[in-house]
Amino acid sequence: QVQLVESGGGAVQPGRSLTLSCAASGFTFSNYAMHWVRQAPGKGLQWVAIIWHDGSNENYADSVKGRFTISRDNSKNTLYLQMNSLRAEDAAVYYCARDPTGSYDYWGQGALVTVSS
Amino acid sequence: DVVMTQSPLSLPVTLGQPASISCRSSQSLVYSDGNTYLNWFHQRPGQSPRRLIYKVSNRDSGVPDRFSGSGSGTDFTLKISRVEAEDVGVYYCMQGTHWPWTFGQGTKVEIK
C-alpha cells in the first residue's frame, strides 16, 4: 500500500535551517510529481512546493521562494524540503503529498516545525 | 492566485440529515485538457487530510456513496446525503488547475 512518512521536524530558532524528509513506499516513486503542503496551527492548508517526477523542474509558493528548496532522490524513494532562514510564520505541520495530476491522492502523517526563539 | 471561497464555514448538522458545502472559484477551473481539477478533502482533528472527491465528482476508493460532488466552471458542491458521526471534521475544496494550487478556507462540520 502507498505510504508517505515524513521526518526531520522539530523546534528551531528564527533564521536557522531545517531539512524535512519524506520516505515513499508502495508505488513507483519516480512516476509521480510530489508536493509539500503545510498547515499552520489552527489554520487551513497551503501549498508550499512541487517537484516534477524526474526532478527536472520545481515551483514554489511566493512566501517560501528563495528560502526553501525541494528535491528528491528517486534511487532512495525520498523527497526532501530544505528550509533556510526560517521565520515564525513558517511554523506549521508539513505534509508531503503525491500528485496523480491536479490533485493529492496520498498524504503523509505530517512533520511539525516550530520556529521560536 | 485563484481564490477558493467555501460556504458555510461552520455547519452544525443532525445525524441522519443531509449536508451541503459550496465552493466557488475566482476563475473557471476547466483546464486545457478538458478536465476540471476540483477536489474535496476531509480532515479529522489530529489527522492528515484525506481525499474524498477528485475531478468534481469522482469518489475515491473506500469513500461512502453518501458523499457526492457536483458542479462546473466556478461553482461546486459537496453533498452528504445522511450525515454520520464519523463525518465530523473540516472539509476543504482545492483546485489543481491553475498555479499555484489553492484551497478553500475549510468548512467545519459538527454534530448538533
Side-chain angles (χ1 to χ4, degrees), chain B residues 29-49:
Chain B
L29 299 186
V30 180
Y31 190 54
S32 54
D33 63 3
N35 289 308
T36 299
Y37 295 104
L38 185 284
N39 306 273
W40 289 96
F41 297 90
H42 177 217
Q43 186 177 35
R44 296 189 179 102
Q47 294 188 13
S48 306

Side-chain angles (χ1 to χ4, degrees), chain B:
Chain B
D1 297 1
V2 175
V3 177
M4 304 295 289
T5 303
Q6 290 182 229
S7 63
L9 298 184
S10 178
L11 184 56
V13 296
T14 301
L15 288 174
Q17 292 301 302
S20 179
I21 301 171
S22 170
C23 175
R24 290 190 167 91
S25 58
S26 59
Q27 299 178 35
S28 171
L29 299 186
V30 180
Y31 190 54
S32 54
D33 63 3
N35 289 308
T36 299
Y37 295 104
L38 185 284
N39 306 273
W40 289 96
F41 297 90
H42 177 217
Q43 186 177 35
R44 296 189 179 102
Q47 294 188 13
S48 306
R50 173 198 182 194
R51 193 178 69 176
L52 301 175
I53 301 284
Y54 61 97
K55 287 193 283 186
V56 181
S57 60
N58 294 274
R59 229 178 1 255
D60 269 276
S61 174
V63 174
D65 60 8
R66 64 179 181 272
F67 289 92
S68 64
S70 63
S72 63
T74 62
D75 200 349
F76 305 93
T77 303
L78 176 71
K79 291 183 178 176
I80 310 173
S81 60
R82 294 172 307 279
V83 172
E84 298 191 5
E86 65 180 17
D87 300 337
V88 298
V90 181
Y91 291 79
Y92 296 94
C93 61
M94 187 218 90
Q95 65 84 18
T97 297
H98 302 284
W99 286 109
W101 293 1
T102 47
F103 293 88
Q105 318 96 302
T107 294
K108 186 173 184 179
V109 172
E110 57 184 12
I111 305 299
K112 283 182 185 174

Side-chain angles (χ1 to χ4, degrees), chain A residues 27-44:
Chain A
F27 66 101
T28 303
F29 183 65
S30 59
N31 284 353
Y32 290 86
M34 296 293 296
H35 298 242
W36 289 98
V37 177
R38 69 184 181 184
Q39 186 171 36
K43 301 297 184 181

Side-chain angles (χ1 to χ4, degrees), chain A:
Chain A
Q1 72 281 21
V2 173
Q3 277 200 306
L4 299 171
V5 180
E6 298 95 338
S7 59
V12 295
Q13 295 178 327
R16 303 301 290 264
S17 300
L18 198 64
T19 298
L20 304 180
S21 300
C22 169
S25 60
F27 66 101
T28 303
F29 183 65
S30 59
N31 284 353
Y32 290 86
M34 296 293 296
H35 298 242
W36 289 98
V37 177
R38 69 184 181 184
Q39 186 171 36
K43 301 297 184 181
L45 298 162
Q46 180 193 24
W47 170 76
V48 173
I50 178 181
I51 187 166
W52 265 234
H53 67 97
D54 57 1
S56 61
N57 206 352
E58 308 146 30
N59 201 357
Y60 299 90
D62 287 345
S63 57
V64 307
K65 202 170 293 184
R67 299 187 299 121
F68 288 13
T69 302
I70 188 171
S71 62
R72 65 191 297 160
D73 185 336
N74 284 347
S75 68
K76 295 182 178 179
N77 292 339
T78 303
L79 175 72
Y80 303 97
L81 184 67
Q82 181 179 349
M83 303 182 291
N84 297 331
S85 304
L86 281 161
R87 305 168 180 167
E89 56 265 34
D90 296 319
V93 174
Y94 285 75
Y95 298 100
C96 61
R98 191 177 83 163
D99 173 1
T101 302
S103 187
Y104 306 119
D105 58 354
Y106 288 94
W107 299 64
Q109 86 287 354
L112 177 63
V113 174
T114 304
V115 184
S116 173
S117 53

